[in-house]
Amino acid sequence: MDSADATGLQATLFDFAIGELVRQHRESFQPLWSVDSWVKLLIWMSLNCGCAGDEAGMSRFVEALGPTVTTRMRRVFFERELEDLDLQVMADPAEQQVLVLPMGPGVHLDLDRAAAVIERVQLQDEVLADRGRWQALDAVVAIPRREAAS
């Protein structure tokens, strides 16, 4: 195996491992679906990597991760895949809307299914309950966050 192949394999393994680590621990940090939970995950990871628990240690940790890894981790942290329904939820609190979208082509998605998904992943307190404000776009339902609507 040449070094380019080995480096590519290592990068794939790292991406897989980070994604799984985030998926396995994201429910541990409360309140769910919040910036606070995201920061708690980063603190936990940095401490387990031997970084100091102060602001400088956290800054070094996030800087070492870099924007690409941090963005990927954040996306994984704030998304849920409901394979039994073939639907995905993307709910980063930095965004003004929560998105519910099908994971594959031809999957039926309407406001009732989107509402069921929102309740299942415990996002009902984070979004507007008024379905008249929800948008059913092509294959996506966009639901405004409470704070974004204020």
Side-chain angles (χ1 to χ4, degrees):
M1 177 180 287
D2 67 18
S3 67
D5 288 341
T7 301
L9 183 57
Q10 289 171 353
T12 300
L13 176 61
F14 176 81
D15 187 56
F16 169 75
I18 287 292
E20 285 304 306
L21 181 68
V22 171
R23 279 184 202 89
Q24 288 179 17
H25 293 281
R26 63 187 172 195
E27 302 287 327
S28 304
F29 303 99
Q30 302 293 322
L32 291 178
W33 305 107
S34 69
V35 172
D36 287 347
S37 63
W38 167 245
V39 171
K40 289 174 185 178
L41 172 83
L42 289 177
I43 291 168
W44 175 76
M45 290 179 77
S46 70
L47 292 173
N48 279 290
C49 289
C51 294
D54 59 6
E55 188 175 335
M58 273 299 300
S59 293
R60 280 192 299 278
F61 177 74
V62 171
E63 185 179 315
L65 288 177
T68 303
V69 172
T70 303
T71 300
R72 167 106 169 93
M73 285 173 45
R74 187 175 175 106
R75 185 183 61 76
V76 169
F77 189 78
F78 288 116
E79 78 177 14
R80 301 295 186 275
E81 292 181 350
L82 297 116
E83 292 185 15
D84 60 322
L85 299 175
D86 212 12
L87 295 173
Q88 179 180 24
V89 178
M90 300 177 80
D92 189 325
E95 301 295 329
Q96 294 183 357
Q97 296 178 322
V98 170
L99 301 177
V100 179
L101 52 153
M103 290 173 45
V107 175
H108 172 72
L109 178 60
D110 59 21
L111 297 185
D112 289 335
R113 282 194 81 206
V117 167
I118 292 298
E119 189 170 320
R120 184 161 159 192
V121 298
Q122 302 173 349
L123 266 168
Q124 63 272 17
D125 294 337
E126 304 295 322
V127 300
L128 291 180
D130 178 9
R131 291 190 194 180
R133 303 274 308 270
W134 295 18
Q135 294 179 305
L137 306 169
D138 290 328
V140 176
V141 173
I143 306 166
R145 288 185 159 277
R146 286 186 190 272
E147 67 272 3
S150 303

